[in-house]
């Protein structure tokens, strides 16, 4: 247990999934935590979220397994279809059991709002103070956060978890810095079982599975939420939103027209839609550093590594950031050790997160092939592995034997523990230029 006088005062900017996870992991490391969140309440923003084993093992570690599983859906199949006729190109049966067996943790689909509520309540139960309705305008050395009201709040460490449009990132860089369009947008749809009468669609919703449909420059994904009582569909296609619009109400008619001629089951799902949101998918250039020179201000989550949602890793990797940071901070026994912990955090997290970001773009290339030679080659590779244990680099990273293990097998707390073994936080001095692999 950490000594009382070595407890750090930690300020977190943003109560999204990354910020709340950091609040939980830092409070579990026995530090004092306050969160400043711009929104007045944690509203039901967003839709479905796929929680992969690299993150579900963290939720378990934080004692949230039962609560999370009570509101999640665990897919038993992951299937990839051709867009035009629904032909199954690839499928992984017993997906739930395989995930648990391989990675010791489940693959879960849930509503973002459910996870946010669970993390928020956990943080409060650990004594975290949450200040809602307080927008941070910048972070200055000290470190201090400057609230929109002009009030300044001092801490030992500031964690910038304020998402894609991060002010913390701008403070870190010392300049204005806007997210960049990826060229794609997402139509996000959530359907409720109660409102659907079509028996086949009800069967799909009731029986949790993950389905992808691959088409030219576009793809779609559908999966169940809340124990099979809701269905989440995301339709991904080229971005046609005006330059300065990042999110808007979408036109259902326009969306249906864009995806007309796709698999009849998907079309029937789209027939159920009466409203849809349209999100521009953004990313950012890699920044040189996620930490300030004094090592008392760090970035996590979308503020430093937003990505395409094509591997469902945005929130999962922000939970990884939070857990590595909290894991390292659990070894901090005096304020003098903080800079070493922050240096290790950046070494461990930056290269992995940026590798995931790059992989999301590779996944787009493989999923969005226009009909033609390359697509036929891709589909024959799918066919060559059908019904077998996949033995080559696979177009769907979701089941690829080269990508899935490093993505889902990652254990944040193990990383932090091993880093502390090789570079004990109790030692004094600079960590030097050790690579993440040698930590
Ligand atoms: C279509 C789509 C599908 C996705 N699917 C998945 C998925 O299946 N799995 C997955 O892991 N990820 C998915 N993601 C990505 C995921 O939603 C994000 O990566 C994740 O929410 C990032 O978490 P965060 O905490 O960094 O940021 P956010 O969740 O954006 O939270 C930032 C918080 O900071 C607050 N804030 C902002 N500015 C300030 C300020 N100045 N002062 C105080 N507070 C502030 C905001 O109000 C917000 O609450 C998807 C994204 C999209 C667009």
């Amino acid at each position: 247990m950490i000594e009382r006088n070595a407890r750090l005062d930690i300020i977190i900017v943003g109560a999204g999934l990354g910020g709340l996870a950091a609040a939980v992991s830092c409070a579990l490391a026995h530090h004092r935590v306050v969160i400043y969140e711009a929104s007045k309440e944690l509203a039901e923003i967003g839709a479905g979220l796929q929680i992969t084993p690299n993150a579900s093992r963290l939720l378990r570690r934080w004692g949230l397994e039962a609560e999370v599983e009570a509101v999640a859906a665990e897919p038993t199949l992951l299937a990839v279809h051709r867009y035009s006729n629904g032909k199954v190109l690839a499928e992984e049966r017993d997906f739930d059991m395989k995930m648990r067996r391989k990675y010791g943790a489940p693959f879960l689909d849930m509503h973002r709002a459910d996870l946010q509520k669970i993390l928020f309540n956990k943080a409060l139960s650990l004594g975290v103070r949450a200040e809602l309705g307080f927008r941070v305008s910048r972070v200055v050395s000290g470190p201090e956060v400057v609230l929109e009201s002009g009030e300044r709040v001092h801490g030992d460490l500031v964690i910038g978890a304020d998402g894609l449009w991060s002010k913390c990132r701008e403070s870190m860089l010392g300049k204005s810095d806007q997210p960049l369009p990826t060229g794609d947008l997402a139509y996000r749809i959530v359907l409720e079982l109660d409102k659907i009468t079509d028996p086949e669609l009800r069967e799909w919703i009731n029986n949790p599975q993950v389905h992808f449909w691959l088409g030219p420059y576009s793809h779609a994904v559908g999966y169940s939420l809340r124990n099979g009582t809701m269905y989440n569909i995301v339709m991904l296609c080229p971005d046609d939103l005006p330059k300065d619009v990042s999110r808007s109400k979408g036109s259902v008619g326009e969306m249906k027209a864009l995806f007309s001629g796709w698999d009849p089951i998907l079309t029937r799902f789209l027939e159920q839609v009466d409203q849809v949101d349209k999100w521009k998918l953004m990313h950012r250039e890699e920044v040189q550093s996620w930490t300030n020179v004094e090592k008392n201000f760090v970035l996590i989550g979308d503020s430093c590594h937003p990505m395409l949602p094509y591997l469902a890793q945005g929130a999962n990797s922000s939970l990884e950031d939070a857990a590595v940071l909290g894991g390292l901070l659990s070894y901090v026994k005096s304020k003098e050790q903080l800079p070493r912990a922050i240096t290790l955090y950046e070494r461990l997290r930056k290269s992995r997160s940026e590798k995931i970001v790059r992989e999301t773009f590779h996944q787009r290339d493989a999923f969005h092939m226009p009909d033609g030679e390359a697509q036929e080659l891709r589909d024959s590779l799918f066919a060559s592995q059908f019904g077998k244990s996949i033995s080559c680099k696979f177009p769907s990273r979701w089941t690829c034997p080269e990508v899935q293990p490093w993505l889902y097998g990652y254990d944040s707390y193990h990383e932090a523990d091993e880093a502390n073994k090789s570079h004990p936080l109790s030692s004094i001095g600079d960590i030097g230029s050790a690579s993440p692999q040698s930590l």
Side-chain angles (χ1 to χ4, degrees):
M1 164 90 62
I2 202 161
E3 285 170 34
R4 245 191 132 58
N5 60 5
R7 288 175 104 191
L8 302 173
D9 282 306
I10 299 178
I11 301 173
I12 298 176
V13 184
L17 297 175
L20 290 171
V24 169
S25 70
C26 292
L28 285 171
H30 301 286
H31 299 295
R32 278 181 294 263
V33 181
V34 57
I35 310 181
Y36 287 95
E37 163 59 45
S39 304
K40 289 207 173 69
E41 54 184 343
L42 301 183
E44 290 241 341
I45 297 174
L49 211 53
Q50 311 228 57
I51 297 297
T52 51
N54 44 322
S56 66
R57 73 166 52 85
L58 304 176
L59 297 170
R60 177 183 292 166
R61 166 104 184 200
W62 296 332
L64 301 172
E65 185 176 21
E67 260 179 278
V68 164
E69 290 191 21
V71 291
E74 190 170 359
T76 55
L77 173 91
L78 188 140
V80 179
H81 306 254
R82 176 160 168 78
Y83 73 104
S84 55
N85 54 8
K87 180 184 172 198
V88 179
L89 300 171
E91 63 174 22
E92 187 91 0
R93 289 170 186 260
D94 301 325
F95 188 63
D96 50 340
M97 291 192 291
K98 284 179 184 157
M99 289 293 102
R100 284 180 184 264
R101 203 166 49 233
K102 274 196 215 168
Y103 303 111
F107 182 117
L108 302 169
D109 290 332
M110 59 193 303
H111 199 292
R112 182 185 183 279
D114 292 338
L115 183 56
Q116 195 174 22
K117 204 184 302 163
I118 290 170
L119 287 169
F120 185 69
N121 289 338
K122 177 72 184 184
L124 294 188
S125 77
L126 292 169
V128 170
R129 217 175 84 223
E131 301 287 0
L132 303 185
F134 287 85
R135 183 172 289 279
V136 169
S137 53
R138 61 187 198 281
V139 180
V140 294
S141 69
E144 283 182 345
V145 297
V146 183
L147 304 178
E148 226 172 30
S149 61
E151 192 192 332
R152 288 171 174 244
V153 190
H154 175 83
D156 297 309
L157 172 67
V158 173
I159 301 175
D162 52 345
L164 184 63
W165 299 90
S166 176
K167 286 284 166 206
C168 291
R169 179 187 173 105
E170 293 194 338
S171 298
M172 184 76 75
L173 293 174
K175 60 173 187 181
S176 158
D177 185 59
Q178 298 298 307
L180 306 167
T182 59
D184 287 357
L185 67 74
Y187 286 98
R188 300 180 89 172
I189 298 158
V190 181
L191 299 171
E192 286 176 33
L193 181 69
D194 283 355
K195 299 192 179 138
I196 291 177
T197 51
D198 181 326
E200 199 183 353
L201 299 187
R202 287 180 63 85
E203 176 65 22
W204 270 59
I205 300 171
N206 251 320
N207 176 19
Q209 299 180 338
V210 182
H211 293 271
F212 294 94
W213 290 265
L214 313 190
Y217 310 107
S218 306
H219 79 278
V221 53
Y223 51 84
S224 309
L225 307 172
R226 288 193 182 147
N227 285 314
T229 59
M230 272 186 162
Y231 203 66
N232 185 77
I233 303 177
V234 191
M235 312 293 294
L236 296 311
C237 60
D239 179 10
D240 63 355
L241 281 165
K243 201 164 171 255
D244 55 341
V245 176
S246 58
R247 190 179 160 193
S248 77
K249 279 252 154 282
S251 147
V252 175
E254 183 188 88
M255 177 189 70
K256 283 187 194 161
L258 277 170
F259 291 90
S260 76
W262 283 47
D263 186 357
I265 190 86
L266 185 62
T267 307
R268 269 158 62 202
F269 268 118
L270 297 188
E271 286 304 325
Q272 309 292 322
V273 178
D274 49 25
Q275 56 168 20
V276 69
D277 285 331
K278 212 170 163 180
W279 300 58
K280 192 188 283 282
L281 299 178
M282 312 281 276
H283 72 128
R284 286 194 177 264
E285 274 170 11
E286 291 175 10
V287 280
Q288 207 183 343
S289 179
W290 291 3
T291 64
N292 65 347
V293 175
E294 295 83 7
K295 305 293 175 203
N296 54 22
F297 173 29
V298 293
L299 300 176
I300 69 171
D302 273 8
S303 73
C304 50
H305 53 77
M307 56 187 77
L308 280 168
Y310 298 170
L311 294 172
Q313 288 302 313
N316 289 311
S317 61
S318 75
L319 263 61
E320 288 182 356
D321 292 343
V324 169
L325 190 53
L328 290 168
L329 292 177
S330 71
Y331 290 106
V332 169
K333 301 283 180 266
S334 73
K335 289 181 186 168
E336 290 66 41
Q337 294 169 0
L338 179 60
R340 274 177 85 82
I342 295 307
T343 304
L344 283 179
Y345 161 76
E346 182 173 31
R347 297 268 173 86
L348 292 175
R349 293 301 308 155
K350 195 166 182 294
S351 53
R352 172 172 167 88
S353 311
E354 290 169 352
K355 184 175 174 189
I356 299 174
V357 173
R358 289 192 292 276
E359 206 61 51
T360 67
F361 283 90
H362 297 323
Q363 187 61 90
R364 171 165 74 180
D365 296 342
F367 272 6
H368 286 194
M369 286 179 180
D371 285 345
E373 210 177 312
Q375 163 267 326
E376 282 167 16
L377 265 176
R378 178 200 68 192
D379 293 357
S380 56
L381 181 57
F382 275 134
S384 73
Q385 302 298 307
F386 200 88
K388 299 182 192 156
S389 168
I390 303 166
S391 61
C392 60
K393 192 161 170 70
F394 204 54
S396 167
R397 270 79 179 151
W398 294 75
T399 49
C400 173
E402 287 183 23
V403 175
Q404 193 194 65
W406 68 257
L407 213 45
Y408 297 176
Y410 182 85
D411 183 333
S412 298
Y413 278 98
H414 180 72
E415 284 277 293
D417 293 342
E418 289 301 304
N420 182 59
K421 264 190 220 155
S422 47
H423 292 79
L425 290 174
S426 52
S427 328
I428 305 166
D430 194 5
I431 288 168
S433 57
S435 67
Q437 290 75 19
S438 68
L439 287 174

